[in-house]
Amino acid sequence: MKLRLWPRSLIGQLVFAVAVVLFVAQAVNFALLARGQKQQSLAHGGGMAVARIIDAMDRQERAQTDVEARRTDRRRSRHEPKVWIDTAPPPVPSRSVALPDLAGYVGNLLAEANISSQGVQAWALPQPPRIGRTQLPGRTVLVVAEIDGRFYGVRSRMPGGGNRLQGFLIWQTLSLYLLLLVPVMLIAWRAARPLRDLTRAARANPALRDATPLDEEGPSDVRDLISAFNAYRARIATMLSDKDRMLGAVGHDLRTPLASLRVRVEGVEDDRLREKMVASIDEMTAMLSDILALARSGSGTEPQERVPLRELIGELAAEYAERGKDVTAGGVADVMVLVRPMLLKRALRNLADNALAYGQRGRLSVTAEAGRARAIVSDDGPGLTDEQIRTLVEPFARGEQSRNRATGGAGLGLSIAREIAEGEGGALILNNRAGGGLDAVIALPVQA
């Protein structure tokens, strides 16, 4: 699975961008503060060490005491001296840690004081045991400089504070996140909420004629977009209303002369000719009905209802049984869908008619999975090729021989079923079964 770091939503993208920028800024801030603290620590410990070395050099020049005597005194002392002056380097305790940065810093300070050193070394000494409940802050360091054949060793202290710096930066980062991310989230939510409403409205079926304008809220750009969408949807509703009026007029104007022609044809004496003429008129009437149904699919004034598919499938199977058609129901799950019952029944009836015409018999069933109800019409026909599955759902598309005009169809049954399914928020799916035959499925969202 591919890891997606960039969020999809507007709020997520804004928050992610601000969080990344804050993290980078805090990382730079941490680096600068750590560098400054390091320089400050070196200046504190190194400066003290250099001052003691210079003071020891001054005292060495004034002192006339014997080096061996002072060395003996040091051995007799219970505590190690703070300043070591000898021709040999001082002993370095075990577990001491070399500090090359401090050694280099002290060397530079000695050079700035015009003191030539043959080498400078520095160590962090082991932490002494606690005195009661207290412990000296920072750490003790030993700095040894070789100057004119003598080793000057001094002890100094370097301040701690690394953990305090990290804690300070953590609290600072959290405070910045709260101060910046919360307002950004509020602003992004204010901009995204009307966009979500706009998305839902845009996904709604325009044939439902729900032209209630959306509230114009949010930033000015979002308000302008919502205003344009409201005007656009109002124009679509007007065009659909005009289309319905035109279709009603066309249907009335065409059916009237066809009915008149049918009456006149009844007077033809030649029975064979009369039957052909009547069949042609009936075919024209059926084709006109299918064309009008396709044009009106998804529209109309029928309200949506919560319908149990078990009852609707049972009614449809009973209708075919009364007409002596081999359409049976079985394996029907008890699920509810929000649809317009008459339109859905028409779509299922078209699929059942196809099953009878091209597959000898039809079987109706309903399954439910992943929040979708699947109304299935199965037949025992030869099935369809992949190319036919892609093309037969288009208007006036017909297959070869077994699916031609001779069967009485105009190539609109599947198109009408698809338009109705999509108008109800679902989809029409055609699948060949492994054992032969075709499953025509209308998938719809399940209503709790």
Side-chain angles (χ1 to χ4, degrees):
M1 184 179 65
K2 185 178 180 180
L3 180 63
R4 178 181 294 275
L5 297 178
W6 187 248
R8 292 179 179 271
S9 65
L10 174 63
I11 296 178
Q13 291 180 5
L14 285 175
V15 172
F16 182 79
V18 173
V20 170
V21 171
L22 281 178
F23 179 81
V24 173
Q26 285 298 95
V28 174
N29 188 27
F30 176 79
L32 293 176
L33 285 177
R35 179 184 177 87
Q37 187 187 42
K38 181 178 179 181
Q39 292 297 324
Q40 182 183 9
S41 178
L42 292 175
H44 185 277
M48 183 183 299
V50 170
R52 288 182 174 176
I53 290 174
I54 295 175
D55 181 65
M57 293 175 63
D58 292 340
R59 287 190 289 108
Q60 175 65 19
E61 293 177 358
R62 296 193 299 267
Q64 299 298 327
T65 56
D66 192 332
V67 175
E68 291 298 330
R70 279 187 274 113
R71 183 183 299 174
T72 303
D73 292 341
R74 282 197 297 271
R75 290 196 186 112
R76 292 174 181 175
S77 176
R78 296 179 60 185
H79 302 283
E80 294 184 2
K82 291 186 176 180
V83 179
W84 172 284
I85 305 174
D86 204 341
T87 56
V92 180
S94 60
R95 296 186 293 112
S96 298
V97 180
L99 300 176
D101 292 340
L102 180 59
Y105 186 81
V106 171
N108 293 334
L109 290 181
L110 291 174
E112 292 177 1
N114 295 322
I115 299 175
S116 178
S117 63
Q118 286 73 50
V120 179
Q121 292 180 303
W123 296 270
L125 301 180
Q127 190 75 5
R130 288 179 177 270
I131 302 175
R133 295 185 178 181
T134 63
Q135 187 172 8
L136 294 176
R139 54 182 176 172
T140 303
V141 296
L142 173 63
V143 180
V144 179
E146 184 180 359
I147 302 173
D148 297 332
R150 284 189 173 88
F151 289 91
Y152 294 85
V154 297
R155 289 174 177 247
S156 180
R157 294 198 67 80
M158 292 186 64
N163 294 332
R164 286 185 295 176
L165 174 63
Q166 295 176 3
F168 168 76
L169 285 175
I170 291 175
W171 282 109
Q172 184 188 54
T173 303
L174 292 177
S175 300
L176 286 175
Y177 276 142
L178 290 176
L179 291 175
L180 292 179
L181 290 184
V182 171
V184 167
M185 291 178 64
L186 292 177
I187 294 173
W189 179 80
R190 181 172 178 267
R193 184 167 58 86
L195 288 178
R196 288 194 295 268
D197 296 338
L198 180 62
T199 301
R200 284 193 294 267
R203 287 175 176 171
N205 184 10
L208 297 178
R209 316 297 171 86
D210 182 12
T212 304
L214 298 176
D215 295 333
E216 298 178 12
E217 55 184 355
S220 59
D221 296 340
V222 178
R223 291 198 301 269
D224 293 341
L225 177 61
I226 295 175
S227 176
F229 175 79
N230 287 334
Y232 179 70
R233 189 163 62 166
R235 289 195 297 271
I236 291 179
T238 301
M239 293 172 60
L240 290 175
S241 298
D242 293 341
K243 182 203 72 170
D244 288 344
R245 286 194 295 269
M246 181 188 68
L247 289 175
V250 170
H252 178 270
D253 293 344
L254 289 180
R255 282 195 178 97
T256 299
L258 285 175
S260 177
L261 184 60
R262 174 68 181 268
V263 172
R264 292 193 178 101
V265 166
E266 295 295 339
V268 176
E269 296 181 357
D270 190 333
D271 294 340
R272 185 176 179 182
L273 178 61
R274 183 175 63 252
E275 290 177 359
K276 289 183 177 181
M277 295 176 67
V278 169
S280 297
I281 294 173
D282 290 342
E283 183 178 354
M284 292 175 62
T285 303
M287 185 181 299
L288 177 61
S289 298
D290 287 343
I291 292 173
L292 293 177
L294 177 63
R296 287 173 173 168
S297 61
S299 64
T301 58
E302 183 185 8
Q304 286 188 320
E305 301 176 9
R306 293 179 70 252
V307 177
L309 278 182
R310 182 189 296 274
E311 296 182 6
L312 191 144
I313 293 296
E315 293 175 2
L316 191 60
E319 291 178 7
Y320 280 98
E322 291 176 358
R323 293 158 48 192
K325 303 291 186 180
D326 189 5
V327 176
T328 59
V332 181
D334 190 10
V335 292
M336 304 285 289
V337 291
L338 184 64
V339 295
R340 284 166 288 188
M342 297 303 297
L343 281 179
L344 180 58
K345 188 177 290 188
R346 180 184 181 92
L348 292 172
R349 189 179 291 114
N350 287 354
L351 298 179
D353 289 342
N354 283 343
L356 290 173
Y358 314 122
Q360 289 78 47
R361 66 191 186 98
R363 295 183 301 278
L364 307 177
S365 61
V366 176
T367 62
E369 56 183 14
R372 305 281 286 183
R374 293 163 51 89
I376 306 172
V377 180
S378 305
D379 64 37
D380 296 330
L384 297 173
T385 64
D386 293 339
E387 180 65 22
Q388 287 176 321
I389 290 177
R390 286 193 298 269
T391 59
L392 286 179
V393 293
E394 300 299 328
F396 304 105
R398 294 183 299 273
E400 299 176 359
Q401 296 181 0
S402 62
R403 292 183 184 267
N404 57 25
R405 187 181 291 265
T407 62
L412 294 173
L414 291 178
S415 299
I416 293 173
R418 183 190 67 175
E419 293 295 328
I420 292 175
E422 293 178 354
E424 302 302 318
L428 174 64
I429 305 169
L430 303 179
N431 290 322
N432 289 310
R433 290 199 308 278
L438 181 73
D439 284 344
V441 183
I442 294 181
L444 297 167
V446 172
Q447 292 292 313

